[in-house]
Amino acid sequence: TQLLEQSPQFLSIQEGENLTVYCNSSSVFSSLQWYRQEPGEGPVLLVTVVTGGEVKKLKRLTFQFGDARKDSSLHITAAQPGDTGLYLCAGVGSQGNLIFGKGTKLSVKP
Amino acid sequence: KAGVTQTPRYLIKTRGQQVTLSCSPISGHRSVSWYQQTPGQGLQFLFEYFSETQRNKGNFPGRFSGRQFSNSRSEMNVSTLELGDSALYLCASREGARNSPLHFGNGTRLTVT
């Protein structure tokens, strides 16, 4: 069974701090996707990482795909209250469906 | 383009009843997937439809079923509702390729009492 484990489960920080959240698996994934979900809404895609070792930047967000394509991380620099939300990683499973981690719930206080 | 639309947004049902949820995908998207989201289990895959055929199915009991129409709109049905079926049900569409990103609707919040 392919599983994606995310850590930490919860994170509460002050505005301006940096943070990193992790997505790990014992399985290899051809690519990983990161989504953010805000209360009352569906998840929205942030980025897809495809190549082992790949680093992608989206403004203050930096995404990295592990060399072995089993893990990924998301680093946020100088977090803002607007970054508050549930961050989910997802990978394509062996049967073609997207498998999601349980997410990291981030709260950024002003 | 309009996004994925799910109706209704909120639903309250009683144990034993059945419910039908509706999803209209982004225009041109032929694949529709359904997920159940709960605080304890996160997002769990229910099933995916592509061109009116079920392409993939998760590990849910037969009480959960779905279908897709020729215009790609999809419905899911849950029969004999149980308290544990209370969840946010999310529909997502994508163009078709299995590694293409999902575009989610805002979900239907189902409460079973």
Side-chain angles (χ1 to χ4, degrees), chain A residues 42-91:
Chain A
V44 175
L45 178 72
L46 295 173
V47 78
T48 302
V49 285
V50 179
T51 307
E54 180 178 8
V55 176
K56 276 192 173 178
K57 291 195 174 184
L58 188 67
K59 297 183 181 177
R60 293 176 293 100
L61 278 60
T62 302
F63 303 84
Q64 186 161 8
F65 200 11
D67 291 340
R69 291 184 288 128
K70 291 183 178 182
D71 55 87
S72 182
S73 64
L74 157 59
H75 181 80
I76 302 179
T77 304
Q80 298 177 1
D83 295 327
T84 293
L86 178 67
Y87 288 82
L88 297 156
C89 66

Side-chain angles (χ1 to χ4, degrees), chain B residues 6 11 18 22 39 43 51 58-59 69 73 77 85 87 90 93 95 97 105 111:
Chain B
Q6 290 188 247
L11 209 46
Q18 67 103 23
S22 181
L43 273 118
S51 294
N59 295 322
F69 302 95
R73 192 177 70 83
N77 185 77
D85 297 333
L90 290 162
S93 73
E95 292 176 346
T111 302

